[in-house]
Amino acid sequence: MNTRNLIPILYILFLMLPIYWLLSMSFKTTNEILSGFSLFPKTFTLDNYITIFTDPTWYWGYLNSIFYVSINTVLSVAVALPAAYAFSRYRFLGDKQLFFWLLTNRMAPAAVFALPFFQLYSSIQLFDTHLAVALAHTLFNVPLAVWILEGFMRGIPKELDETAFVDGYGFGRFFVVIFLPNIKAGVGVAAFFCFMFSWVEMLLAKTLTAVEAKPIAAVMTRTASSAGYELGLLAAAGALTIIPGAIVIWFVRNYIARGFALGRV
């Protein structure tokens, strides 16, 4: 085998090793995991997955996470689109300072906003709802989406806007029918990063929920018993959390490639 091909293959195998180890653990019992090192399950079991798909606490944790992540992704992209268009097409007093201020919100750690969000949502009866987590995550995702989309929109010549308006297009029709198809790669990239941040973020999701909207991350941290953590169950839950991200990557894979080549990614 050519050395040039061997090195990337070894690198990919190295990156896949933690995923394989997670999958292997998910088919073992906790006692087998603690008993020692083994590449393959000695006693293959599906009990961990059966528990997740039959226990309402577990599968509702996944559903709750998918609900608020989907709401957040739609909200973040919908809010970011007109904001990014304004930054890419117009110059106004303080535009650069406002753009920088948006990015500083993205740079702040989530822990800074956990207590203010908790008090705010508790006072307006939004605590323990999917909307509470979705709105909290928009604080971080909207600046990121604006930054990504502005880079794509800046690459679209302004003559396109002017020609459409001369042809009688209203702004709304122009934006949906003509402009959005030209930046669909940017929308895909922005949606992907918004989805992934919201899916893996745990601190705000745990702080702003209790029972009704408890995400899978909160469920996974409550598997301790008198005998310790149920490692096999945690491994199975972790393996299942990879699936939504993999599905999103599959659908936007072409847009992500273009985003890295053309946009601000």
Side-chain angles (χ1 to χ4, degrees):
M1 182 181 294
N2 193 326
T3 305
R4 185 179 299 177
N5 297 329
L6 180 61
I7 294 177
I9 291 174
L10 292 176
Y11 180 66
I12 292 173
L13 290 176
F14 175 75
L15 293 179
M16 295 297 292
L17 182 61
I19 298 178
Y20 167 75
W21 201 254
L22 183 68
L23 291 173
S24 176
M25 289 176 60
S26 70
F27 295 110
K28 298 177 182 178
T29 63
T30 299
N31 290 334
E32 182 179 344
I33 294 172
L34 296 175
S35 65
F37 175 84
S38 62
L39 286 175
F40 306 99
K42 297 177 181 177
T43 305
F44 189 88
T45 179
L46 291 174
D47 290 346
N48 298 319
Y49 289 97
I50 292 173
T51 299
I52 291 174
F53 287 110
T54 56
D55 187 339
T57 302
W58 281 100
Y59 63 73
W60 270 110
Y62 280 101
L63 292 176
N64 288 333
S65 296
I66 292 172
F67 288 157
Y68 74 69
V69 168
S70 300
I71 294 172
N72 169 260
T73 302
V74 173
L75 280 176
S76 298
V77 175
V79 171
L81 278 169
Y85 182 86
F87 280 117
S88 68
R89 287 297 189 265
Y90 304 112
R91 292 293 171 265
F92 50 89
L93 182 63
D95 55 346
K96 294 182 180 179
Q97 291 76 11
L98 179 59
F99 194 77
F100 178 75
W101 176 78
L102 280 173
L103 291 179
T104 58
N105 287 339
R106 183 65 183 85
M107 298 172 188
V112 173
F113 302 99
L115 181 59
F117 274 135
F118 176 80
Q119 292 184 322
L120 173 64
Y121 291 149
S122 296
S123 63
I124 60 176
Q125 306 301 315
L126 271 183
F127 177 75
D128 199 20
T129 64
H130 302 111
L131 185 60
V133 184
L135 289 176
H137 286 176
T138 57
L139 178 67
F140 302 92
N141 281 339
V142 168
L144 177 64
V146 170
W147 185 64
I148 293 172
L149 290 169
E150 194 270 345
F152 280 87
M153 292 180 180
R154 192 179 292 274
I156 305 297
K158 294 183 179 180
E159 289 75 14
L160 179 69
D161 309 37
E162 298 168 357
T163 302
F165 296 148
V166 169
D167 290 341
Y169 281 82
F171 178 78
R173 186 183 172 202
F174 154 75
F175 195 83
V176 174
V177 176
I178 298 178
F179 196 73
L180 276 183
N182 282 278
I183 60 163
K184 60 182 179 181
V187 175
V189 172
F192 165 75
F193 280 101
C194 290
F195 181 95
M196 294 309 298
F197 169 83
S198 190
W199 180 253
V200 303
E201 199 283 325
M202 184 174 69
L203 178 61
L204 290 176
K206 287 185 61 178
T207 304
L208 301 178
T209 58
V211 179
E212 296 298 326
K214 184 167 62 175
I216 187 59
V219 178
M220 291 175 67
T221 58
R222 299 178 184 178
T223 60
S225 63
S226 57
Y229 282 97
E230 300 177 39
L231 300 182
L233 189 58
L234 281 174
L240 290 175
T241 58
I242 298 174
I243 296 176
I247 293 174
V248 173
I249 291 174
W250 173 263
F251 282 107
V252 301
R253 63 191 185 281
N254 295 328
Y255 296 150
I256 293 176
R258 291 184 60 189
F260 277 99
L262 302 175
R264 291 182 178 232
V265 184

